[in-house]
Structures are given as C-alpha cells and as structure tokens.
Amino acid sequence: MNYRIADLFCGAGGMTLGFVDNRFGGGFDSVFALDNDKSSAATHRTNFGGESLCENIETWISEADVPKVDVVVGGPPCQGFSLLNKRRTGDERRALWEPYLLAVKESGARIFVMENVAELYRSPELDDIRARAESLGFKTSAWVLNTANYGVAQTRKRTIVIGWDSVKVPNGVGMPTQTHRDPSIVVASDRNLTPWLTVKDAFKGLPADTVGIDIGDGSPLDLHFGRSPTTLSQKRYRVVPPGGNRFDLQRNAPELTPDCWIRKTSGGTDLFGRLWWDRPSVTIRTEFFKPEKGRYLHPEEHRPISHREAARLMGFPDDFRFSGSKVDIARQIGNAVPPPFAGAIARSVKEALDAVKMLDSKIDGATSEAA
C-alpha cells in the first residue's frame, strides 16, 4: 500500500509528480493538493488523483477538515526571501509557513517537506520555522541542494527542510542521496555518480524550429512554440555568440543595444545570454521566454527557448499536461519543483517510512511470540 501525501502551494505539481511517479520516486498517492492559482490547481487536477483545490491556505485551514496523510509537501511562496525582491522586510508571504505547519499537525502527518529559495537557509525565518516545528513535535534538518546533482539539467539551488515526528519516526529522515556530479570536479567518493545532464541532453529529439502553436496532444511538440520577435529583437539575437550575453551585444552591435544597458557597465552577466549545449541551464524562472530577463536564448537558434524546452530543463516529462494560457504555463514551469529532484526527496522519505513499518512489524512479531 502506498503512503498518502498532500501538496500545499502545489503549483503545477512538480513535487507531487516526484513522489507518485515511479520514473522519479514513487510509492505515494496524491490525496489532496492546494494552490490559490486557478490554472495551477487545474494542471494538478489534470495530472493526479485526489482533490485539487483552488483556495488560499488561510481560508482553507480555518474552514475545512484537513485530510489525514502520511506526508505533507510543499513550498510556501518564496518571493519574500528572493534576492530579486528588494522589499523583503514585512513581506506577508514570508508568514505563510505558519498555516502550512498547522496543516501538517492537523493532518497527522509523520513527515513534512518544505521547499524554498536558497536564501531561506541563512534567513532568521528558518530559525522561526524550525522552532515552530519543534513545538509541534517535529525534529528538522535543512540543506541547500543543487538540482543538477539530482538528475535535472539545471543548476537550481533550493533550501529543503524535512521535518519528522520525533515519536512516530524516531530515526529521522536523511538527506536525499546525490545521483549526479559536476563533471569539472571529481573526487574519489563521486566517481560512480553520473555527470550532470546538459541542455543538449534535455533538448534531445526536439526540432530546432518551434512549431508556433500549442498542439495540445501531449507529444514532444506540444508546447514547443515560440514568440514572434520584432525585427530589432532578431537582429540582437544574431549578434550574441554561443555562451555570450548583453556585453557581447554591446561589443558587437552597440547601435542595437538599449541605452540602459550601455549605461550599466557591470552586473547582469546572464541578461540576454545564450545557454551552453554542454552544461546544465541556469535557473529557469517564470519569464524564461524573455531573453532580457536572463540567459534564455537557445544555444544556437536565434530565439528564446520554447515552453517545451523550459519544461524539459525542469525535468517534466512530455506526457505531463499543463493547463492555462502561455503566460500561466510559463509561470507554472518557472515556479515548479523539478520532478527528478522531488523524486530524490521522495526516496529518502519513503526509506524512513519503510524503516518505521519494518520496526513496527518486528515489534508486533515479538509481541505475538511473547503472547
């Protein structure tokens, strides 16, 4: 029998997929999911069993009966911690871990998994989260992990907090086991690990040209659409070399470079940058279809990466179905937990729960013999 999970702030369901799909982790059934974004809840509903509800967590926790599960997963919104947010003080989104932990307690979960941006790890807020979890009877561990080390073709660093009921799971939950390694750094203990997946690995089988429409049939070409760039944008794309960025644009074609970039002579080395074929991608964010926002140009083609390419870089399989507009889907992709990464977490959680089950079985057996 599979273990039961609930996914709060579920987004598209990248974390859920890692837990329920045997291609990644498996051994869990989706019982409940919650997100306040309508298109995200629809995507989750399309791909998973159980209930997928569109609601704010504060409203839901005050009005509904929290379902009973073994594990609660999810990531309270991370924008309050992000370095991209310069007004972090007092950001109310930072407090949404409180109803999350209340739901953990009311669900009877033995383990919870919280995912957030890397900056959370050194934030005083993490101390508050761990103290609150301890007051509810949960011990915790926290790490900053790079998704490229877990089979994702993307260097995305995230804080993972795992908590376990100190009575129900006495031996705790270990750090997810690394499966891949940076090929430029080889130490004896890592020699048996697979080298990082690359952009070339992720894009395998996709045509260089985008098809321009959403086919909607779940094939690899579904979501392999692009924008309709202006003539000026096309000229800019063409002067950025492999691995280049906005500084190459300025050097090669100053007449095509925005004045604001000319005036800003430092920083922003990923802006208007091309991905490399032989490396993982940089972190995929919600506006990956805009090269002015980051290193989102195709390694060779004169265009931004497509939605399908972004989903591949996140580790979503082609048969995963997204709901909503192009902007909705881009937001879901950029905010997701990469499924292969979630699968590594799921394996650690399942190992801990299986150990408890085995211990309980031995105790029951010993009790029966004594009787």
Side-chain angles (χ1 to χ4, degrees):
M1 181 182 297
N2 287 343
Y3 300 108
R4 295 160 57 89
I5 68 162
D7 191 345
L8 308 181
F9 308 99
C10 65
M15 184 75 88
T16 300
L17 188 63
F19 272 73
V20 306
D21 194 314
N22 291 331
R23 289 174 293 184
F24 304 109
F28 296 83
D29 291 328
S30 176
V31 173
F32 179 79
L34 179 77
D35 201 281
N36 67 356
D37 178 70
K38 184 177 179 180
S39 60
S40 295
T43 293
H44 198 282
R45 192 176 303 117
T46 296
N47 290 277
F48 304 105
E51 181 181 7
S52 296
L53 180 65
C54 181
E55 183 63 88
N56 289 318
I57 190 170
E58 300 99 328
T59 303
W60 170 72
I61 197 71
S62 66
E63 297 178 352
D65 292 329
V66 178
K68 300 301 179 182
V69 295
D70 298 292
V71 180
V72 173
V73 301
C78 65
Q79 289 90 340
F81 300 105
S82 174
L83 292 177
L84 297 178
N85 184 344
K86 303 304 182 184
R87 298 182 294 106
R88 290 175 292 185
T89 301
D91 192 323
E92 65 182 11
R93 291 169 296 189
R94 300 182 71 167
L96 290 180
W97 54 264
E98 296 186 64
Y100 172 92
L101 287 178
L102 178 59
V104 169
K105 186 65 176 178
E106 293 192 4
S107 72
R110 293 178 280 175
I111 295 173
F112 72 83
V113 178
M114 186 182 295
E115 178 263 359
N116 215 299
V117 293
E119 289 75 28
L120 171 63
Y121 189 78
R122 300 191 183 280
S123 166
E125 206 80 0
L126 179 58
D127 296 331
D128 295 339
I129 291 170
R130 300 183 75 169
R132 177 58 175 156
E134 184 176 358
S135 74
L136 296 175
F138 289 84
K139 293 184 177 180
T140 58
S141 287
W143 314 273
V144 175
L145 303 176
N146 185 346
T147 62
N149 289 334
Y150 297 90
V152 182
Q154 180 184 165
T155 54
R156 185 185 189 95
K157 293 183 178 180
R158 308 297 284 182
T159 295
I160 296 297
V161 182
I162 297 183
W164 61 91
D165 187 304
S166 57
V167 174
K168 297 177 181 177
V169 189
N171 294 327
V173 183
M175 187 175 78
T177 301
Q178 183 176 335
T179 57
H180 292 66
R181 62 173 175 83
D182 182 344
S184 68
I185 303 173
V186 181
V187 296
S189 61
D190 292 346
R191 291 189 183 277
N192 293 328
L193 298 179
T194 303
W196 280 350
L197 297 181
T198 66
V199 171
K200 186 174 185 179
D201 294 323
F203 290 4
K204 185 177 181 180
L206 291 176
D209 293 332
T210 55
V211 295
I213 59 172
D214 179 358
I215 295 177
D217 63 357
S219 72
L221 292 183
D222 180 29
L223 302 186
H224 192 46
F225 47 68
R227 305 174 77 187
S228 298
T230 64
T231 300
L232 176 58
S233 291
Q234 290 177 331
K235 289 180 179 179
R236 288 171 172 168
Y237 299 161
R238 290 180 182 279
V239 298
V240 178
N245 55 32
R246 72 178 181 92
F247 295 111
D248 294 283
L249 169 63
Q250 181 176 343
R251 184 163 41 251
N252 296 332
E255 72 281 4
L256 300 177
T257 306
D259 290 340
C260 60
W261 286 358
I262 292 177
R263 291 193 299 269
K264 186 174 177 58
T265 59
S266 63
T269 57
D270 277 336
L271 295 182
F272 225 76
R274 283 194 184 277
L275 294 169
W276 293 271
W277 276 127
D278 60 352
R279 306 183 192 180
S281 79
V282 298
T283 298
I284 297 300
R285 304 189 189 280
T286 58
E287 293 186 302
F288 58 79
F289 49 89
K290 298 179 179 180
E292 63 272 20
K293 298 288 186 176
R295 189 174 292 277
Y296 302 135
L297 286 175
H298 188 279
E300 291 181 356
E301 301 303 313
H302 302 305
R303 60 172 177 81
I305 58 174
S306 71
H307 281 51
R308 171 57 62 205
E309 288 164 340
R312 288 268 191 100
L313 292 172
M314 193 65 75
F316 279 100
D318 293 341
D319 58 10
F320 189 87
R321 306 300 301 277
F322 290 93
S323 299
S325 68
K326 292 180 180 180
V327 173
D328 291 336
I329 293 171
R331 184 176 63 253
Q332 292 172 47
I333 292 171
N335 283 334
V337 178
F341 180 51
I345 298 169
R347 290 191 293 272
S348 289
V349 171
K350 185 175 184 297
E351 182 178 339
L353 291 174
D354 286 346
V356 171
K357 184 186 294 185
M358 184 176 298
L359 179 61
D360 289 345
S361 178
K362 290 181 178 179
I363 292 174
D364 290 342
T367 301
S368 296
E369 290 180 5

PDB file of all heavy atoms in Angstrom, residues 17 23-24 47 202-206 216-224 307-313 315-322:
ATOM      1  N   LEU A  17       4.554  14.994  -8.501  1.00  0.00           N
ATOM      2  CA  LEU A  17       4.988  14.056  -9.538  1.00  0.00           C
ATOM      3  C   LEU A  17       6.190  13.252  -9.079  1.00  0.00           C
ATOM      4  O   LEU A  17       6.266  12.035  -9.309  1.00  0.00           O
ATOM      5  CB  LEU A  17       5.317  14.821 -10.821  1.00  0.00           C
ATOM      6  CG  LEU A  17       5.593  13.962 -12.061  1.00  0.00           C
ATOM      7  CD1 LEU A  17       4.359  13.160 -12.452  1.00  0.00           C
ATOM      8  CD2 LEU A  17       6.031  14.842 -13.234  1.00  0.00           C
ATOM      9  N   ARG A  23       8.882   6.817 -12.259  1.00  0.00           N
ATOM     10  CA  ARG A  23      10.028   7.259 -13.064  1.00  0.00           C
ATOM     11  C   ARG A  23      10.962   8.147 -12.246  1.00  0.00           C
ATOM     12  O   ARG A  23      12.123   8.327 -12.617  1.00  0.00           O
ATOM     13  CB  ARG A  23       9.542   8.025 -14.303  1.00  0.00           C
ATOM     14  CG  ARG A  23       8.889   7.162 -15.353  1.00  0.00           C
ATOM     15  CD  ARG A  23       8.310   7.998 -16.481  1.00  0.00           C
ATOM     16  NE  ARG A  23       7.187   8.821 -16.056  1.00  0.00           N
ATOM     17  CZ  ARG A  23       6.459   9.578 -16.881  1.00  0.00           C
ATOM     18  NH1 ARG A  23       6.778   9.644 -18.174  1.00  0.00           N
ATOM     19  NH2 ARG A  23       5.429  10.283 -16.422  1.00  0.00           N
ATOM     20  N   PHE A  24      10.464   8.682 -11.161  1.00  0.00           N
ATOM     21  CA  PHE A  24      11.252   9.602 -10.344  1.00  0.00           C
ATOM     22  C   PHE A  24      11.465   9.054  -8.934  1.00  0.00           C
ATOM     23  O   PHE A  24      12.582   8.843  -8.505  1.00  0.00           O
ATOM     24  CB  PHE A  24      10.570  10.970 -10.298  1.00  0.00           C
ATOM     25  CG  PHE A  24      10.332  11.559 -11.643  1.00  0.00           C
ATOM     26  CD1 PHE A  24       9.052  11.644 -12.164  1.00  0.00           C
ATOM     27  CD2 PHE A  24      11.387  12.008 -12.420  1.00  0.00           C
ATOM     28  CE1 PHE A  24       8.825  12.182 -13.425  1.00  0.00           C
ATOM     29  CE2 PHE A  24      11.179  12.542 -13.682  1.00  0.00           C
ATOM     30  CZ  PHE A  24       9.888  12.630 -14.196  1.00  0.00           C
ATOM     31  N   ASN A  47      -3.506  16.000 -13.869  1.00  0.00           N
ATOM     32  CA  ASN A  47      -2.433  15.003 -13.858  1.00  0.00           C
ATOM     33  C   ASN A  47      -2.472  14.012 -12.694  1.00  0.00           C
ATOM     34  O   ASN A  47      -1.793  12.981 -12.757  1.00  0.00           O
ATOM     35  CB  ASN A  47      -1.083  15.713 -13.854  1.00  0.00           C
ATOM     36  CG  ASN A  47      -0.781  16.412 -15.166  1.00  0.00           C
ATOM     37  OD1 ASN A  47      -0.316  15.796 -16.116  1.00  0.00           O
ATOM     38  ND2 ASN A  47      -1.065  17.709 -15.226  1.00  0.00           N
ATOM     39  N   ALA A 202      18.711  17.537 -22.511  1.00  0.00           N
ATOM     40  CA  ALA A 202      17.312  17.899 -22.297  1.00  0.00           C
ATOM     41  C   ALA A 202      16.573  18.143 -23.611  1.00  0.00           C
ATOM     42  O   ALA A 202      15.397  17.805 -23.744  1.00  0.00           O
ATOM     43  CB  ALA A 202      17.220  19.134 -21.412  1.00  0.00           C
ATOM     44  N   PHE A 203      17.255  18.730 -24.593  1.00  0.00           N
ATOM     45  CA  PHE A 203      16.594  19.097 -25.847  1.00  0.00           C
ATOM     46  C   PHE A 203      16.598  17.980 -26.882  1.00  0.00           C
ATOM     47  O   PHE A 203      16.089  18.157 -27.993  1.00  0.00           O
ATOM     48  CB  PHE A 203      17.274  20.324 -26.456  1.00  0.00           C
ATOM     49  CG  PHE A 203      17.048  21.612 -25.705  1.00  0.00           C
ATOM     50  CD1 PHE A 203      16.340  21.636 -24.518  1.00  0.00           C
ATOM     51  CD2 PHE A 203      17.567  22.813 -26.198  1.00  0.00           C
ATOM     52  CE1 PHE A 203      16.148  22.824 -23.818  1.00  0.00           C
ATOM     53  CE2 PHE A 203      17.381  23.997 -25.509  1.00  0.00           C
ATOM     54  CZ  PHE A 203      16.669  24.001 -24.319  1.00  0.00           C
ATOM     55  N   LYS A 204      17.147  16.836 -26.540  1.00  0.00           N
ATOM     56  CA  LYS A 204      17.267  15.737 -27.498  1.00  0.00           C
ATOM     57  C   LYS A 204      15.919  15.402 -28.132  1.00  0.00           C
ATOM     58  O   LYS A 204      14.923  15.207 -27.449  1.00  0.00           O
ATOM     59  CB  LYS A 204      17.835  14.502 -26.803  1.00  0.00           C
ATOM     60  CG  LYS A 204      18.109  13.339 -27.743  1.00  0.00           C
ATOM     61  CD  LYS A 204      18.736  12.167 -26.987  1.00  0.00           C
ATOM     62  CE  LYS A 204      19.026  11.004 -27.929  1.00  0.00           C
ATOM     63  NZ  LYS A 204      19.629   9.862 -27.194  1.00  0.00           N
ATOM     64  N   GLY A 205      15.902  15.340 -29.469  1.00  0.00           N
ATOM     65  CA  GLY A 205      14.696  14.959 -30.194  1.00  0.00           C
ATOM     66  C   GLY A 205      13.787  16.114 -30.560  1.00  0.00           C
ATOM     67  O   GLY A 205      12.845  15.934 -31.344  1.00  0.00           O
ATOM     68  N   LEU A 206      14.048  17.305 -30.032  1.00  0.00           N
ATOM     69  CA  LEU A 206      13.217  18.461 -30.370  1.00  0.00           C
ATOM     70  C   LEU A 206      13.769  19.146 -31.618  1.00  0.00           C
ATOM     71  O   LEU A 206      14.981  19.319 -31.744  1.00  0.00           O
ATOM     72  CB  LEU A 206      13.186  19.459 -29.212  1.00  0.00           C
ATOM     73  CG  LEU A 206      12.440  19.036 -27.948  1.00  0.00           C
ATOM     74  CD1 LEU A 206      12.592  20.100 -26.868  1.00  0.00           C
ATOM     75  CD2 LEU A 206      10.966  18.784 -28.242  1.00  0.00           C
ATOM     76  N   GLY A 216      -1.341  20.494 -28.288  1.00  0.00           N
ATOM     77  CA  GLY A 216      -2.288  20.007 -27.302  1.00  0.00           C
ATOM     78  C   GLY A 216      -2.492  18.515 -27.264  1.00  0.00           C
ATOM     79  O   GLY A 216      -3.469  18.028 -26.699  1.00  0.00           O
ATOM     80  N   ASP A 217      -1.572  17.743 -27.861  1.00  0.00           N
ATOM     81  CA  ASP A 217      -1.775  16.295 -27.900  1.00  0.00           C
ATOM     82  C   ASP A 217      -0.820  15.543 -26.974  1.00  0.00           C
ATOM     83  O   ASP A 217      -0.771  14.320 -26.988  1.00  0.00           O
ATOM     84  CB  ASP A 217      -1.619  15.776 -29.331  1.00  0.00           C
ATOM     85  CG  ASP A 217      -0.219  15.997 -29.902  1.00  0.00           C
ATOM     86  OD1 ASP A 217       0.606  16.608 -29.191  1.00  0.00           O
ATOM     87  OD2 ASP A 217       0.039  15.561 -31.024  1.00  0.00           O
ATOM     88  N   GLY A 218      -0.051  16.260 -26.158  1.00  0.00           N
ATOM     89  CA  GLY A 218       0.851  15.595 -25.227  1.00  0.00           C
ATOM     90  C   GLY A 218       2.123  15.070 -25.849  1.00  0.00           C
ATOM     91  O   GLY A 218       2.902  14.396 -25.199  1.00  0.00           O
ATOM     92  N   SER A 219       2.367  15.382 -27.120  1.00  0.00           N
ATOM     93  CA  SER A 219       3.588  14.940 -27.788  1.00  0.00           C
ATOM     94  C   SER A 219       4.729  15.890 -27.434  1.00  0.00           C
ATOM     95  O   SER A 219       4.498  16.961 -26.868  1.00  0.00           O
ATOM     96  CB  SER A 219       3.379  14.926 -29.306  1.00  0.00           C
ATOM     97  OG  SER A 219       3.334  16.261 -29.790  1.00  0.00           O
ATOM     98  N   PRO A 220       5.984  15.515 -27.778  1.00  0.00           N
ATOM     99  CA  PRO A 220       7.094  16.440 -27.508  1.00  0.00           C
ATOM    100  C   PRO A 220       6.905  17.820 -28.122  1.00  0.00           C
ATOM    101  O   PRO A 220       7.385  18.812 -27.592  1.00  0.00           O
ATOM    102  CB  PRO A 220       8.301  15.716 -28.107  1.00  0.00           C
ATOM    103  CG  PRO A 220       7.945  14.278 -28.025  1.00  0.00           C
ATOM    104  CD  PRO A 220       6.459  14.231 -28.298  1.00  0.00           C
ATOM    105  N   LEU A 221       6.184  17.906 -29.254  1.00  0.00           N
ATOM    106  CA  LEU A 221       5.992  19.202 -29.895  1.00  0.00           C
ATOM    107  C   LEU A 221       4.927  20.041 -29.195  1.00  0.00           C
ATOM    108  O   LEU A 221       4.837  21.247 -29.429  1.00  0.00           O
ATOM    109  CB  LEU A 221       5.614  19.016 -31.374  1.00  0.00           C
ATOM    110  CG  LEU A 221       6.711  18.446 -32.268  1.00  0.00           C
ATOM    111  CD1 LEU A 221       6.233  18.394 -33.714  1.00  0.00           C
ATOM    112  CD2 LEU A 221       7.983  19.264 -32.165  1.00  0.00           C
ATOM    113  N   ASP A 222       4.107  19.409 -28.361  1.00  0.00           N
ATOM    114  CA  ASP A 222       3.160  20.164 -27.570  1.00  0.00           C
ATOM    115  C   ASP A 222       3.954  21.137 -26.694  1.00  0.00           C
ATOM    116  O   ASP A 222       4.911  20.734 -26.025  1.00  0.00           O
ATOM    117  CB  ASP A 222       2.337  19.198 -26.706  1.00  0.00           C
ATOM    118  CG  ASP A 222       1.322  19.908 -25.848  1.00  0.00           C
ATOM    119  OD1 ASP A 222       0.865  20.973 -26.260  1.00  0.00           O
ATOM    120  OD2 ASP A 222       0.988  19.384 -24.772  1.00  0.00           O
ATOM    121  N   LEU A 223       3.608  22.393 -26.717  1.00  0.00           N
ATOM    122  CA  LEU A 223       4.282  23.481 -26.002  1.00  0.00           C
ATOM    123  C   LEU A 223       5.581  23.934 -26.672  1.00  0.00           C
ATOM    124  O   LEU A 223       6.222  24.852 -26.174  1.00  0.00           O
ATOM    125  CB  LEU A 223       4.602  23.116 -24.539  1.00  0.00           C
ATOM    126  CG  LEU A 223       3.444  22.716 -23.629  1.00  0.00           C
ATOM    127  CD1 LEU A 223       3.947  22.546 -22.200  1.00  0.00           C
ATOM    128  CD2 LEU A 223       2.329  23.746 -23.663  1.00  0.00           C
ATOM    129  N   HIS A 224       5.961  23.337 -27.786  1.00  0.00           N
ATOM    130  CA  HIS A 224       7.208  23.758 -28.442  1.00  0.00           C
ATOM    131  C   HIS A 224       6.899  24.936 -29.364  1.00  0.00           C
ATOM    132  O   HIS A 224       7.051  24.867 -30.578  1.00  0.00           O
ATOM    133  CB  HIS A 224       7.811  22.591 -29.214  1.00  0.00           C
ATOM    134  CG  HIS A 224       9.222  22.843 -29.683  1.00  0.00           C
ATOM    135  ND1 HIS A 224      10.196  23.387 -28.879  1.00  0.00           N
ATOM    136  CD2 HIS A 224       9.819  22.619 -30.894  1.00  0.00           C
ATOM    137  CE1 HIS A 224      11.328  23.481 -29.551  1.00  0.00           C
ATOM    138  NE2 HIS A 224      11.115  23.044 -30.778  1.00  0.00           N
ATOM    139  N   HIS A 307       8.522  26.870 -24.526  1.00  0.00           N
ATOM    140  CA  HIS A 307       7.920  26.344 -23.301  1.00  0.00           C
ATOM    141  C   HIS A 307       8.280  24.863 -23.111  1.00  0.00           C
ATOM    142  O   HIS A 307       8.534  24.430 -21.990  1.00  0.00           O
ATOM    143  CB  HIS A 307       6.392  26.493 -23.357  1.00  0.00           C
ATOM    144  CG  HIS A 307       5.902  27.881 -23.055  1.00  0.00           C
ATOM    145  ND1 HIS A 307       6.386  28.997 -23.672  1.00  0.00           N
ATOM    146  CD2 HIS A 307       4.943  28.324 -22.173  1.00  0.00           C
ATOM    147  CE1 HIS A 307       5.751  30.069 -23.206  1.00  0.00           C
ATOM    148  NE2 HIS A 307       4.881  29.690 -22.288  1.00  0.00           N
ATOM    149  N   ARG A 308       8.292  24.101 -24.196  1.00  0.00           N
ATOM    150  CA  ARG A 308       8.651  22.688 -24.080  1.00  0.00           C
ATOM    151  C   ARG A 308      10.099  22.535 -23.635  1.00  0.00           C
ATOM    152  O   ARG A 308      10.418  21.695 -22.790  1.00  0.00           O
ATOM    153  CB  ARG A 308       8.426  21.961 -25.412  1.00  0.00           C
ATOM    154  CG  ARG A 308       8.970  20.516 -25.469  1.00  0.00           C
ATOM    155  CD  ARG A 308       8.372  19.631 -24.358  1.00  0.00           C
ATOM    156  NE  ARG A 308       6.945  19.502 -24.495  1.00  0.00           N
ATOM    157  CZ  ARG A 308       6.104  19.236 -23.475  1.00  0.00           C
ATOM    158  NH1 ARG A 308       6.593  19.112 -22.244  1.00  0.00           N
ATOM    159  NH2 ARG A 308       4.828  19.125 -23.686  1.00  0.00           N
ATOM    160  N   GLU A 309      10.984  23.339 -24.204  1.00  0.00           N
ATOM    161  CA  GLU A 309      12.388  23.266 -23.797  1.00  0.00           C
ATOM    162  C   GLU A 309      12.559  23.632 -22.327  1.00  0.00           C
ATOM    163  O   GLU A 309      13.319  22.989 -21.599  1.00  0.00           O
ATOM    164  CB  GLU A 309      13.222  24.180 -24.700  1.00  0.00           C
ATOM    165  CG  GLU A 309      13.381  23.623 -26.115  1.00  0.00           C
ATOM    166  CD  GLU A 309      13.862  24.651 -27.113  1.00  0.00           C
ATOM    167  OE1 GLU A 309      13.740  25.874 -26.857  1.00  0.00           O
ATOM    168  OE2 GLU A 309      14.351  24.244 -28.194  1.00  0.00           O
ATOM    169  N   ALA A 310      11.828  24.631 -21.876  1.00  0.00           N
ATOM    170  CA  ALA A 310      11.892  25.006 -20.460  1.00  0.00           C
ATOM    171  C   ALA A 310      11.363  23.887 -19.571  1.00  0.00           C
ATOM    172  O   ALA A 310      11.940  23.581 -18.519  1.00  0.00           O
ATOM    173  CB  ALA A 310      11.104  26.290 -20.217  1.00  0.00           C
ATOM    174  N   ALA A 311      10.264  23.251 -19.994  1.00  0.00           N
ATOM    175  CA  ALA A 311       9.719  22.137 -19.218  1.00  0.00           C
ATOM    176  C   ALA A 311      10.703  20.975 -19.171  1.00  0.00           C
ATOM    177  O   ALA A 311      10.853  20.318 -18.126  1.00  0.00           O
ATOM    178  CB  ALA A 311       8.383  21.678 -19.823  1.00  0.00           C
ATOM    179  N   ARG A 312      11.401  20.729 -20.266  1.00  0.00           N
ATOM    180  CA  ARG A 312      12.427  19.680 -20.295  1.00  0.00           C
ATOM    181  C   ARG A 312      13.578  20.029 -19.337  1.00  0.00           C
ATOM    182  O   ARG A 312      14.079  19.157 -18.626  1.00  0.00           O
ATOM    183  CB  ARG A 312      12.981  19.537 -21.713  1.00  0.00           C
ATOM    184  CG  ARG A 312      12.031  18.889 -22.739  1.00  0.00           C
ATOM    185  CD  ARG A 312      12.245  17.393 -22.803  1.00  0.00           C
ATOM    186  NE  ARG A 312      11.555  16.763 -23.921  1.00  0.00           N
ATOM    187  CZ  ARG A 312      12.136  16.418 -25.082  1.00  0.00           C
ATOM    188  NH1 ARG A 312      13.423  16.673 -25.285  1.00  0.00           N
ATOM    189  NH2 ARG A 312      11.445  15.823 -26.022  1.00  0.00           N
ATOM    190  N   LEU A 313      13.992  21.285 -19.338  1.00  0.00           N
ATOM    191  CA  LEU A 313      15.072  21.699 -18.441  1.00  0.00           C
ATOM    192  C   LEU A 313      14.657  21.578 -16.974  1.00  0.00           C
ATOM    193  O   LEU A 313      15.502  21.427 -16.092  1.00  0.00           O
ATOM    194  CB  LEU A 313      15.497  23.138 -18.740  1.00  0.00           C
ATOM    195  CG  LEU A 313      16.199  23.357 -20.090  1.00  0.00           C
ATOM    196  CD1 LEU A 313      16.401  24.838 -20.350  1.00  0.00           C
ATOM    197  CD2 LEU A 313      17.532  22.624 -20.138  1.00  0.00           C
ATOM    198  N   GLY A 315      12.715  19.112 -16.020  1.00  0.00           N
ATOM    199  CA  GLY A 315      12.588  17.685 -15.767  1.00  0.00           C
ATOM    200  C   GLY A 315      11.187  17.136 -15.919  1.00  0.00           C
ATOM    201  O   GLY A 315      10.933  15.976 -15.584  1.00  0.00           O
ATOM    202  N   PHE A 316      10.247  17.938 -16.442  1.00  0.00           N
ATOM    203  CA  PHE A 316       8.898  17.434 -16.681  1.00  0.00           C
ATOM    204  C   PHE A 316       8.896  16.518 -17.901  1.00  0.00           C
ATOM    205  O   PHE A 316       9.446  16.879 -18.943  1.00  0.00           O
ATOM    206  CB  PHE A 316       7.917  18.582 -16.922  1.00  0.00           C
ATOM    207  CG  PHE A 316       7.427  19.259 -15.673  1.00  0.00           C
ATOM    208  CD1 PHE A 316       7.973  20.465 -15.263  1.00  0.00           C
ATOM    209  CD2 PHE A 316       6.420  18.684 -14.905  1.00  0.00           C
ATOM    210  CE1 PHE A 316       7.529  21.096 -14.114  1.00  0.00           C
ATOM    211  CE2 PHE A 316       5.960  19.308 -13.753  1.00  0.00           C
ATOM    212  CZ  PHE A 316       6.513  20.517 -13.350  1.00  0.00           C
ATOM    213  N   PRO A 317       8.256  15.365 -17.803  1.00  0.00           N
ATOM    214  CA  PRO A 317       8.142  14.506 -18.986  1.00  0.00           C
ATOM    215  C   PRO A 317       7.157  15.112 -19.981  1.00  0.00           C
ATOM    216  O   PRO A 317       6.292  15.917 -19.617  1.00  0.00           O
ATOM    217  CB  PRO A 317       7.598  13.192 -18.401  1.00  0.00           C
ATOM    218  CG  PRO A 317       6.862  13.602 -17.163  1.00  0.00           C
ATOM    219  CD  PRO A 317       7.626  14.778 -16.607  1.00  0.00           C
ATOM    220  N   ASP A 318       7.291  14.734 -21.247  1.00  0.00           N
ATOM    221  CA  ASP A 318       6.447  15.312 -22.290  1.00  0.00           C
ATOM    222  C   ASP A 318       4.974  14.962 -22.109  1.00  0.00           C
ATOM    223  O   ASP A 318       4.101  15.668 -22.630  1.00  0.00           O
ATOM    224  CB  ASP A 318       6.914  14.846 -23.672  1.00  0.00           C
ATOM    225  CG  ASP A 318       8.281  15.398 -24.042  1.00  0.00           C
ATOM    226  OD1 ASP A 318       8.710  16.398 -23.432  1.00  0.00           O
ATOM    227  OD2 ASP A 318       8.935  14.820 -24.940  1.00  0.00           O
ATOM    228  N   ASP A 319       4.674  13.880 -21.395  1.00  0.00           N
ATOM    229  CA  ASP A 319       3.271  13.493 -21.226  1.00  0.00           C
ATOM    230  C   ASP A 319       2.575  14.217 -20.074  1.00  0.00           C
ATOM    231  O   ASP A 319       1.405  13.985 -19.800  1.00  0.00           O
ATOM    232  CB  ASP A 319       3.130  11.975 -21.058  1.00  0.00           C
ATOM    233  CG  ASP A 319       3.916  11.424 -19.870  1.00  0.00           C
ATOM    234  OD1 ASP A 319       4.432  12.219 -19.059  1.00  0.00           O
ATOM    235  OD2 ASP A 319       4.016  10.181 -19.753  1.00  0.00           O
ATOM    236  N   PHE A 320       3.285  15.115 -19.402  1.00  0.00           N
ATOM    237  CA  PHE A 320       2.663  15.918 -18.350  1.00  0.00           C
ATOM    238  C   PHE A 320       1.873  17.031 -19.018  1.00  0.00           C
ATOM    239  O   PHE A 320       2.374  17.735 -19.894  1.00  0.00           O
ATOM    240  CB  PHE A 320       3.730  16.501 -17.423  1.00  0.00           C
ATOM    241  CG  PHE A 320       3.179  17.166 -16.192  1.00  0.00           C
ATOM    242  CD1 PHE A 320       2.928  16.436 -15.047  1.00  0.00           C
ATOM    243  CD2 PHE A 320       2.908  18.531 -16.193  1.00  0.00           C
ATOM    244  CE1 PHE A 320       2.417  17.040 -13.912  1.00  0.00           C
ATOM    245  CE2 PHE A 320       2.395  19.145 -15.061  1.00  0.00           C
ATOM    246  CZ  PHE A 320       2.145  18.403 -13.923  1.00  0.00           C
ATOM    247  N   ARG A 321       0.633  17.209 -18.600  1.00  0.00           N
ATOM    248  CA  ARG A 321      -0.268  18.149 -19.273  1.00  0.00           C
ATOM    249  C   ARG A 321      -0.455  19.423 -18.449  1.00  0.00           C
ATOM    250  O   ARG A 321      -0.894  19.370 -17.300  1.00  0.00           O
ATOM    251  CB  ARG A 321      -1.629  17.496 -19.521  1.00  0.00           C
ATOM    252  CG  ARG A 321      -1.568  16.164 -20.268  1.00  0.00           C
ATOM    253  CD  ARG A 321      -0.938  16.309 -21.656  1.00  0.00           C
ATOM    254  NE  ARG A 321      -1.674  17.235 -22.488  1.00  0.00           N
ATOM    255  CZ  ARG A 321      -2.768  16.907 -23.181  1.00  0.00           C
ATOM    256  NH1 ARG A 321      -3.242  15.664 -23.125  1.00  0.00           N
ATOM    257  NH2 ARG A 321      -3.374  17.806 -23.914  1.00  0.00           N
ATOM    258  N   PHE A 322      -0.136  20.558 -19.038  1.00  0.00           N
ATOM    259  CA  PHE A 322      -0.307  21.853 -18.379  1.00  0.00           C
ATOM    260  C   PHE A 322      -1.622  22.494 -18.807  1.00  0.00           C
ATOM    261  O   PHE A 322      -2.063  22.335 -19.943  1.00  0.00           O
ATOM    262  CB  PHE A 322       0.849  22.787 -18.736  1.00  0.00           C
ATOM    263  CG  PHE A 322       2.166  22.402 -18.117  1.00  0.00           C
ATOM    264  CD1 PHE A 322       3.057  21.597 -18.818  1.00  0.00           C
ATOM    265  CD2 PHE A 322       2.511  22.843 -16.849  1.00  0.00           C
ATOM    266  CE1 PHE A 322       4.279  21.244 -18.253  1.00  0.00           C
ATOM    267  CE2 PHE A 322       3.732  22.486 -16.280  1.00  0.00           C
ATOM    268  CZ  PHE A 322       4.609  21.691 -16.988  1.00  0.00           C
TER     269      PHE A 322
END
